[in-house]
Amino acid sequence: MPFAPINGIELYYESHGDGPPVVFAHGVGGNHASWFQQVPFFRRSYRTITIDQRGFGHSADSNGLGRGSHVDDLRALLDHFEIERVSLVAQSMGGSTCMGFTVRYPERVSALVMADTLVG
């Protein structure tokens, strides 16, 4: 399984395809697999990256930083992959991650899609 050393934890991710990067951020009831129907389509033209956010799926919150570190985790993951600009697709809780990242680092976001999220 692919893990990246991010902010003191091992963050699980999957990366498929080539092209401009798109990160998919899941909601509170999900994980990287929430995007199984979108990945086959988008991977044809984009590098699709799905993640298990800290405390979900295969990504343990082993140092107890909690959801408040999701934005920092996303930044560190993009830095790990040397991705300067990214499109973000967020569902539910993932909206707080992606909106928070966009507000802090607008120069790094080429597009933001918010779906079924209370953040906005």
Side-chain angles (χ1 to χ4, degrees), residues 35-95:
W35 303 100
F36 77 96
Q37 293 178 315
Q38 289 75 29
V39 169
F41 176 80
F42 284 96
R43 70 191 270 172
R44 294 181 212 162
S45 302
Y46 300 92
R47 179 181 181 186
T48 61
I49 301 169
T50 58
I51 59 175
D52 283 350
Q53 296 191 81
R54 173 188 296 267
F56 294 87
H58 301 297
S59 295
D61 186 16
S62 54
N63 59 9
L65 294 179
R67 293 183 195 171
S69 63
H70 285 178
V71 171
D72 293 330
D73 291 346
L74 177 56
R75 182 200 43 79
L77 183 69
L78 295 176
D79 290 349
H80 174 78
F81 287 131
E82 298 180 350
I83 295 172
E84 292 299 317
R85 285 183 58 84
V86 66
S87 294
L88 301 171
V89 179
Q91 186 267 326
S92 190
M93 176 195 72

Side-chain angles (χ1 to χ4, degrees), residues 85-105:
R85 285 183 58 84
V86 66
S87 294
L88 301 171
V89 179
Q91 186 267 326
S92 190
M93 176 195 72
S96 63
T97 302
C98 293
M99 180 64 75
F101 184 85
T102 301
V103 168
R104 285 194 210 168
Y105 309 103

Side-chain angles (χ1 to χ4, degrees), residues 3 18 26 34 44 66-67 84 108 118:
F3 289 91
D18 291 310
H26 64 81
S34 298
R44 294 181 212 162
R67 293 183 195 171
E84 292 299 317
R108 296 190 71 178
L118 296 173

